[in-house]
Amino acid sequence: MDRPQLLMKVVEWLRAGYPNGVPQGDYIPLVALLRRQLSDDELDQVTSDLIDDSLRHLEPISKIDAGVKITKVTDELPHAVDIARVRQLLVVAGWPFDDEPLADTITPNASPEPLEDGEGPGESGDGH
């Protein structure tokens, strides 16, 4: 669906829901409902760029990679729905997708080494 058709559908939807016009208090919730999402062309561009990058670096594509690429294409922060659409397209095409790219760098329940008695951040053990 091209943009003029999409815009007409949105206007028709608004007119059907608000035949007497949109009350001022409903503007912000309506804008939230009408948030932007990746177009099919943008989705194709993002996935194509991610595949090219993956081939160059020989690494699986991650949620972080997808989010960064979406931001570059749209100049907006990515939404979870858009990342899910990118993921689905890549998985269907057989590309590995890393859902938890930082999982191997974080040790669960890790705690810092205990400080020696009398030692705190920025302090030495000799009390000075």
Side-chain angles (χ1 to χ4, degrees), residues 19-122:
N20 298 323
V22 177
Q24 188 172 1
D26 287 357
Y27 287 157
I28 293 175
L30 277 174
V31 169
L33 287 174
L34 298 173
R35 77 154 185 84
R36 182 188 192 294
Q37 73 175 33
L38 286 176
S39 69
D40 290 341
D41 290 339
E42 290 169 332
L43 181 63
D44 290 342
Q45 180 183 353
V46 167
T47 53
S48 176
D49 289 352
L50 287 168
I51 289 170
D52 290 346
D53 290 350
S54 180
L55 288 171
R56 219 173 332 194
H57 302 293
L58 300 175
E59 293 178 354
I61 299 166
S62 74
K63 288 170 40 173
I64 294 171
D65 299 329
V68 168
K69 198 61 71 176
I70 289 169
T71 300
K72 286 182 179 179
V73 168
T74 64
D75 290 325
E76 295 180 13
L77 292 175
H79 296 279
V81 172
D82 290 327
I83 292 174
R85 289 176 64 211
V86 168
R87 180 189 187 285
Q88 179 182 13
L89 193 60
L90 290 167
V91 169
V92 166
W95 286 94
F97 194 90
D98 187 356
D99 284 314
E100 296 184 30
L102 300 178
D104 60 348
T105 63
I106 301 171
T107 307
N109 301 323
S111 59
E113 299 220 3
L115 298 173
E116 296 198 19
D117 227 14
E119 214 177 305

